[in-house]
Amino acid sequence: MGAPVLRQKARELSPAEIKSPEMKNLIRDMFETLEDYEGIGLAAPQIFESIALAIIHYPTDEAPKVIFNPKITVLDETKQGYWEGCLSIPELRGFVERPRKVKIDYLDLSAKPASITAEGFPATVFQHELDHLFGVLFIDRIVNRPGETLLSFTEEYVRYHLKEDSEEVD
Ligand code: NI
């Protein structure tokens, strides 16, 4: 956090760029980074590439998703909240409320149009990662209310806020 690239709108990619060998290398590096920090999503601006690319692999997902040039549409405005963390904001957790159901239109690895509908926990994961492509961080989405702790260091999060069955966005 603090690197200007995290606040820029990421550039969309052409089909030729998406299908290039350089892109395959970049995506491989991103999956290695994601595994190293045991995360469930990573966006290209987080590795200092201001391009509209994100990878997502959450535990219940059958296969990892590679998303280019996404457009997000809210299908259900009803808010749901999860504690979120981020590789770009280490040692902090924030409780963020987001719409519970979204549709993502994007280009896949072959630069073909595709779409995903996500609800519940995966909907939050997609919104967190795709926010990175528009210069938005989870801390921007925290609506603070007096008397409530919605932003916490990881240590205090584990001590006071972590519930055994809770899913984490990281
Ligand atoms: Ni993040």
Side-chain angles (χ1 to χ4, degrees):
M1 181 165 58
V5 66
L6 287 176
R7 293 312 199 169
Q8 289 161 9
K9 186 179 185 300
R11 176 178 72 83
E12 295 209 332
L13 294 156
S14 70
E17 287 177 297
I18 289 172
K19 292 189 274 188
S20 70
E22 294 76 21
M23 194 60 65
K24 290 192 170 49
N25 289 339
L26 181 69
I27 290 164
R28 196 191 54 226
D29 289 348
M30 286 175 69
F31 273 108
E32 281 175 9
T33 303
L34 189 64
E35 271 177 38
D36 283 349
Y37 84 100
E38 298 176 341
I40 56 180
L42 185 67
Q46 297 185 271
I47 56 160
F48 306 98
E49 296 282 351
S50 190
I51 54 175
L53 159 65
I55 61 170
I56 289 167
H57 193 196
Y58 47 87
T60 56
D61 196 10
E62 67 282 7
K65 303 274 189 309
V66 179
I67 308 269
F68 294 99
N69 302 355
K71 305 272 181 299
I72 194 158
T73 308
V74 174
L75 298 181
D76 184 349
E77 290 275 2
T78 310
K79 291 292 200 304
Q80 60 177 6
Y82 289 99
W83 284 91
E84 300 188 17
C86 184
L87 174 67
S88 304
I89 313 174
E91 298 303 317
L92 281 177
R93 297 281 163 158
F95 188 80
V96 184
E97 291 176 297
R98 300 178 184 269
R100 63 168 295 280
K101 188 172 183 182
V102 294
K103 176 168 175 264
I104 297 107
D105 293 292
Y106 65 101
L107 299 181
D108 67 13
L109 278 168
S110 325
K112 296 224 165 60
S115 83
I116 295 173
T117 299
E119 61 181 307
F121 176 67
T124 280
V125 174
F126 277 102
Q127 288 173 81
H128 175 120
E129 296 310 328
L130 301 190
D131 264 356
H132 278 298
L133 306 182
F134 298 91
V136 178
L137 299 173
F138 81 79
I139 51 166
D140 306 330
R141 303 278 192 199
I142 298 171
V143 180
N144 278 300
R145 293 182 288 259
E148 285 189 55
T149 299
L150 301 176
L151 184 63
S152 175
F153 290 118
T154 304
E155 191 178 331
E156 280 70 20
Y157 161 74
V158 170
R159 186 166 171 189
Y160 297 110
H161 307 293
L162 177 64
K163 296 182 188 72
E164 265 179 25
D165 61 346
S166 71
E167 290 175 292
E168 290 183 286
V169 180
D170 202 345

